[in-house]
Amino acid sequence: MVGTAGEPGARPGLATHVDDVRLLPEELALASRNHGMPLEALRYDVTPVGLHYLLIHFDIPVLDPEGWRLEVGGLVDRPLSLSLEDLRARPAVTVPVTMECAGNGRTALLPRAVSQPWGLEAVGTGRWTGTPLAPLLAEAGLRPEAVEVVFTGADRGMEGGIEQDYQRSLPVAEAGRDEVLLAHELNGRPLPPQHGFPVRLLVPGWYGMASVKWLRRIEAVGEPFQGYQQVRSYRLRRDADDPGRPLDRILPRALMVPPGIPDFATRERIVPPGTTRLEGRAWSGHGPIVRVEVSADGGVTWSDAQLGEPASPWAWTPWWLDWEPAGPGRHELRCRATDRAGNVQPEEAPWNWGGYANNGHQRVPVVVT
Amino acid sequence: MVGTAGEPGARPGLATHVDDVRLLPEELALASRNHGMPLEALRYDVTPVGLHYLLIHFDIPVLDPEGWRLEVGGLVDRPLSLSLEDLRARPAVTVPVTMECAGNGRTALLPRAVSQPWGLEAVGTGRWTGTPLAPLLAEAGLRPEAVEVVFTGADRGMEGGIEQDYQRSLPVAEAGRDEVLLAHELNGRPLPPQHGFPVRLLVPGWYGMASVKWLRRIEAVGEPFQGYQQVRSYRLRRDADDPGRPLDRILPRALMVPPGIPDFATRERIVPPGTTRLEGRAWSGHGPIVRVEVSADGGVTWSDAQLGEPASPWAWTPWWLDWEPAGPGRHELRCRATDRAGNVQPEEAPWNWGGYANNGHQRVPVVVT
C-alpha cells in the first residue's frame, strides 16, 4: 500500500504510508539528518554529547546568544523579555532526564507512516541544567483564564503543506510542574546547537516533541492551541480523518545493549558460549520502573532482571541478567519493562496512523558460536 | 538488480547491490546508527561535537583510560608501550581537519552497494589535538625494511564473513607525514567515545577509513598488509573479482547550505524572492581549493563564487555567492570545486563496486515563491 494525500495539506503524489519494508527516498533523507543513539551507548548513565538521539524537524537555526531574547507574553499581567544572562542568573537545577522520540519504533509498524524511519535508537539521557519554568510564569503573572502555554522555537519550515515555526503547547498544569525547565546546559556545557542553543524547554517524562528547542517565545493562551504539531502531528489516530488523542507521557520500554560482536551489514550479533551478561536500561513517563524481564526464547519464557538505581526519577533504570545459552545456534533475545503504574510493555503495540508510541518488545537475534 | 554472494566471504542470500532507490532493512539498520552532518552545519568553521559525521563499523568500545596502552611494535628496534599520560605529555599540535567518509554520496550510484547509505552528509571538520606520529616512530627505531605501518582499533566484529579487529595500514612515507597525528582531543576536549576515545589516528587529506579510532596497536610490517579493510573494502573496483586500487586522498567536493526553509518530509527548499546568499564549503585532499562555481540552471551556466580562507591547509574552504533568482518557480542549484592539482568535480562520478568516492555535483532543488 502506498497511500497518498490522506493528510489535509499533504503534497499531492507524496506517499503517506507504505507497507514495503524498504525505505522511500524522503525517508532516507530524514534518516541521513536525524541521529539515533547506537544501542551500545545504553551502557552510559548519561549519554555522551553526540550520541543522544536527535530529531530536527526543520533546520538547526543559528542564533546569536547576545541578541537572543525569550519573550513571555499572552495572558500574563507582566510580559517579560529575558536575555540569556537573565535566565542563567536565575536559580538552576541539574537533572538527568531520559528523552525518547514519540516515533521511536516506527519502522516496525506496517503500513509505515512516511516520516523519520526510527528503529529503536531514538532515545538518550542528558544531564540538563536549567531554571524551573513555574516561578517564571508566576513572576509574569499568569492569568487564571489561561488554559495552555504555547512554546515557539526558532526553527521554521513547511510540514503538511503549512509553513510554520515549530510550536507546541502544554496545559497550564503540566507547564507548572516543578520539573519542567528552561534548559541552557547539557552535560555541564552550554547546549550544543543541535539540542536547542541557547535555551530549550525540557518536559521530563513526556516524549521529546514537547521539549521545544531554540525557544524564543512563551505565550499563555485562553483556548487550546491549534498548531500543526499539536492537532495534526503527534497524535494517536486510527486514520487521516480521526482527530485522535495527543501523545504525552512516554510508555514503558526496556532496551538491551546488543551482546557480543556485530556483523557490519546485518548487525546480527555473534556471542561466545558460556555466560553472557545482558544489560540495558528501562524507562517510563508514567512512573518508576519496577520490573524488567528477559526472554532468550523469543518470548516463551521470561526471567526477572536485576534493577539498579536510576540517576534521577526522570532517568532510565539500569538492569542486568547473566544469561547461559542453552547451546550454540540462533536465539532471539527480548526484554520488557513494567512501571509502577502497572503498564507492561506489550509484545506488539497497536498500529496507528502516525507510527507513534510503538513500545513493542525489542528483538535481538543472536548466534551463539 | 539484487546481486548476491559476489563478494568472497559474503553471507549467502545477502544482497550486495540493489538498483532500487528504496533501502533494504540492513541499510536502514546502518543509517540508524551512523550519523551524517545536517548540511546547514556547513555554516561552522569547526563542526560542533555531535554534528560531525560518524561511521562506526562495529560497536563503540568502552575503554578504560587508566588501563589503556598503545603498543608500538613489529619492525622497530625499541618497541614501546605508552599510556594516555605518556601521549598527552608529548609535544602536541592542534589543527582543524576536514574528514569525509569514502562512501559519501553512495546512494546516488546505482546499482547501489549495500552498505551505509550516505547521501552527502558524511563530512565534518574537527579541531583535533594530538602528537605527531613520525617522531614516535623514530623513537621506536623504525627499521629500513618496514614498508607499511598497520593500525589496529579496539572495535571488533564480522565483515564479509571474517571476524576482525578494525585495521588499516599506511605506507611508511604516508605514516611519516608531519601532519599525521595520534589525536586525543576534539574541539578542545577529550575525544568523545564515538570519535575514538582515548586516542585515534588522524590522517589529514585522506578519506576517514584511514583515521583508525580506539587505537591500541601500531605495527611496522615488511609486506603490504592484507587485512579485510585494506584489500577487500575501501577500494575502487569494477566488480567483485577486480582487486582494484585502494582509496586514499579525498577527491574535491563543494557543498552548499541548502538555502531558504525546508519541507519536513521532502527536504525541498522554499526560498523567498530577491537576493539569496548561497554559501558553503569546499575541500580536497589533493591540494587547496582554487575555484568554486555555482549553477542555478541545473549545470548549464556557472558563476564563480567568492572564496574565503580555510582554517588550516587541511580544513574546508568557505565560499559564497549572492544569487538573484530569474523568477518564481523551480530551480536546480549546483556547485562544483576545483583544486590546485587541477581536479574538477565531475557532473557524475564513475560507478564502482563499493560505491566510493562519488564526488558528483550536489543538486539542490528549490522553489522560489
Side-chain angles (χ1 to χ4, degrees):
Chain A
M1 180 185 103
V2 177
T4 55
E7 185 80 22
R11 292 293 178 83
L14 179 65
T16 63
H17 288 74
V18 289
D19 59 9
D20 192 311
V21 294
R22 292 170 299 174
L23 292 199
L24 300 177
E26 54 264 42
E27 295 176 281
L28 172 61
L30 287 164
S32 297
R33 302 180 40 82
N34 292 310
H35 297 177
M37 183 191 76
L39 293 186
E40 64 267 30
L42 288 164
R43 290 200 177 91
Y44 304 102
D45 280 333
V46 171
T47 309
V49 169
L51 289 177
H52 194 290
Y53 95 91
L54 281 176
L55 190 286
I56 298 162
H57 271 252
F58 304 125
D59 287 355
I60 300 168
V62 176
L63 300 178
D64 169 19
E66 299 300 314
W68 177 87
R69 307 291 291 187
L70 176 63
E71 308 295 337
V72 182
L75 296 175
V76 298
D77 292 328
R78 296 172 292 278
L80 304 173
S81 177
L82 301 158
S83 69
L84 181 55
E85 279 317 296
D86 293 336
L87 279 177
R88 293 184 66 96
R90 295 179 64 86
V93 297
T94 295
V95 59
V97 174
T98 297
M99 193 184 295
E100 184 176 15
C101 184
N104 203 16
R106 174 176 286 127
T107 51
L109 289 180
L110 285 178
R112 181 178 70 246
V114 175
S115 184
Q116 167 62 32
W118 290 126
L120 290 171
E121 291 87 356
V123 66
T125 295
R127 199 172 71 247
W128 301 94
T129 300
T131 191
L133 175 63
L136 199 142
L137 292 176
E139 282 174 39
L142 188 68
R143 294 194 192 147
E145 63 267 33
V147 298
E148 288 191 356
V149 182
V150 179
F151 301 87
T152 301
D155 46 333
R156 187 169 179 82
M158 296 280 285
E159 195 167 346
I162 298 165
E163 187 174 328
Q164 58 190 281
D165 296 325
Y166 186 84
Q167 292 185 299
R168 287 275 311 181
S169 70
L170 288 174
V172 162
E174 292 288 341
R177 284 162 51 208
D178 287 346
E179 61 271 18
V180 173
L181 300 183
L182 302 177
H184 48 73
E185 289 189 7
L186 172 60
N187 296 3
R189 309 268 296 171
L191 293 188
Q194 66 272 25
H195 285 289
F197 180 85
V199 174
R200 73 178 298 170
L201 184 65
L202 190 76
V203 186
W206 282 47
Y207 286 114
M209 76 279 155
S211 293
V212 177
K213 295 192 285 276
W214 310 293
L215 201 59
R216 60 181 187 80
R217 184 164 173 79
I218 297 175
E219 185 168 12
V221 295
E223 299 289 337
F225 178 58
Q226 299 295 310
Y228 180 88
Q229 306 294 344
Q230 203 77 26
V231 298
R232 298 306 313 170
S233 193
Y234 292 118
R235 296 179 86 89
L236 288 170
R237 299 154 68 190
R238 286 186 308 276
D239 54 45
D241 299 322
D242 176 17
R245 63 183 176 82
L247 288 153
D248 44 35
R249 287 173 187 273
I250 299 172
L251 292 177
R253 189 195 299 279
L255 290 178
M256 73 177 73
V257 176
I261 60 170
D263 182 273
F264 172 69
T266 62
R267 305 318 289 178
E268 186 177 68
R269 312 300 302 192
I270 300 104
V271 175
T275 301
T276 288
R277 170 151 292 193
L278 303 177
E279 58 172 331
R281 306 276 171 173
W283 59 92
S284 168
H286 293 271
I289 293 296
V290 295
R291 188 177 198 188
V292 172
E293 295 159 282
V294 176
S295 172
D297 55 11
V300 180
T301 62
W302 295 85
S303 301
D304 278 299
Q306 297 227 224
L307 302 185
E309 281 300 311
S312 88
W314 307 106
W316 51 26
T317 294
W319 61 262
W320 63 92
L321 178 77
D322 287 332
W323 172 50
E324 190 80 46
R330 292 181 185 274
H331 302 260
E332 186 188 272
L333 303 176
R334 297 192 188 189
C335 52
R336 70 180 178 200
T338 301
D339 66 26
R340 196 161 67 194
N343 300 296
V344 184
Q345 212 184 322
E347 180 166 8
E348 308 273 358
W351 185 90
N352 62 88
W353 175 258
Y356 293 117
N358 176 9
N359 70 332
H361 301 162
Q362 180 191 19
R363 295 162 190 223
V364 182
V366 302
V367 177
V368 176
T369 54
Chain B
M1 181 183 106
V2 177
T4 54
E7 184 79 21
R11 292 294 177 83
L14 179 64
T16 63
H17 288 75
V18 289
D19 59 8
D20 192 312
V21 295
R22 292 171 299 174
L23 292 198
L24 301 177
E26 52 266 42
E27 295 177 281
L28 172 62
L30 286 165
S32 297
R33 303 179 39 82
N34 291 310
H35 297 176
M37 182 190 78
L39 293 185
E40 64 268 30
L42 288 164
R43 290 200 177 92
Y44 304 102
D45 280 334
V46 171
T47 309
V49 169
L51 289 177
H52 194 291
Y53 95 90
L54 281 177
L55 189 287
I56 298 163
H57 272 252
F58 304 125
D59 287 355
I60 300 168
V62 176
L63 299 178
D64 169 19
E66 299 300 315
W68 178 87
R69 308 291 291 188
L70 177 63
E71 310 294 337
V72 182
L75 296 175
V76 298
D77 292 328
R78 295 173 292 278
L80 304 173
S81 176
L82 300 158
S83 70
L84 181 56
E85 279 315 298
D86 293 337
L87 279 176
R88 293 184 67 96
R90 295 179 63 86
V93 299
T94 295
V95 60
V97 173
T98 296
M99 192 184 296
E100 184 176 15
C101 185
N104 203 15
R106 174 175 288 128
T107 51
L109 289 179
L110 286 178
R112 180 178 71 246
V114 175
S115 184
Q116 166 63 31
W118 291 125
L120 290 171
E121 290 86 357
V123 68
T125 295
R127 200 172 71 248
W128 301 93
T129 299
T131 192
L133 175 63
L136 200 141
L137 292 176
E139 283 174 37
L142 187 68
R143 294 194 193 147
E145 64 267 31
V147 298
E148 288 191 354
V149 182
V150 180
F151 301 88
T152 301
D155 47 331
R156 186 169 180 81
M158 295 282 283
E159 195 167 347
I162 298 166
E163 187 174 328
Q164 58 189 281
D165 296 325
Y166 185 84
Q167 292 184 299
R168 287 276 309 182
S169 69
L170 288 174
V172 162
E174 291 288 341
R177 284 163 51 208
D178 286 349
E179 61 271 18
V180 173
L181 301 183
L182 301 178
H184 48 73
E185 288 190 7
L186 172 61
N187 296 2
R189 309 268 295 171
L191 293 187
Q194 67 272 25
H195 285 289
F197 180 84
V199 174
R200 73 178 299 171
L201 184 66
L202 190 76
V203 186
W206 282 46
Y207 286 114
M209 78 277 155
S211 293
V212 177
K213 296 192 283 275
W214 309 293
L215 200 58
R216 60 182 186 81
R217 184 164 173 79
I218 297 175
E219 184 167 13
V221 295
E223 301 288 339
F225 178 59
Q226 299 295 310
Y228 180 88
Q229 306 295 342
Q230 202 77 25
V231 299
R232 297 309 311 170
S233 193
Y234 292 120
R235 296 179 87 90
L236 288 170
R237 300 154 69 189
R238 286 187 309 275
D239 54 46
D241 299 322
D242 176 16
R245 62 181 178 83
L247 289 153
D248 43 35
R249 288 174 185 274
I250 299 172
L251 292 176
R253 189 195 300 277
L255 290 178
M256 74 178 73
V257 175
I261 59 170
D263 182 273
F264 172 69
T266 63
R267 305 318 288 181
E268 185 176 68
R269 311 300 303 192
I270 300 104
V271 175
T275 302
T276 288
R277 171 151 291 194
L278 303 178
E279 59 173 331
R281 307 275 172 174
W283 60 91
S284 168
H286 294 269
I289 292 296
V290 295
R291 190 178 197 188
V292 171
E293 297 159 281
V294 175
S295 172
D297 55 11
V300 179
T301 62
W302 295 86
S303 302
D304 278 298
Q306 299 228 224
L307 302 185
E309 282 299 313
S312 88
W314 306 106
W316 51 26
T317 294
W319 63 262
W320 62 93
L321 177 78
D322 287 334
W323 171 50
E324 189 79 46
R330 291 180 186 275
H331 303 260
E332 185 189 271
L333 303 177
R334 296 192 188 189
C335 52
R336 69 180 178 201
T338 302
D339 66 26
R340 197 161 66 193
N343 300 295
V344 184
Q345 211 185 322
E347 181 165 7
E348 308 274 358
W351 186 90
N352 63 88
W353 176 256
Y356 293 118
N358 177 10
N359 70 332
H361 301 161
Q362 180 191 20
R363 296 163 189 223
V364 182
V366 303
V367 177
V368 176
T369 55

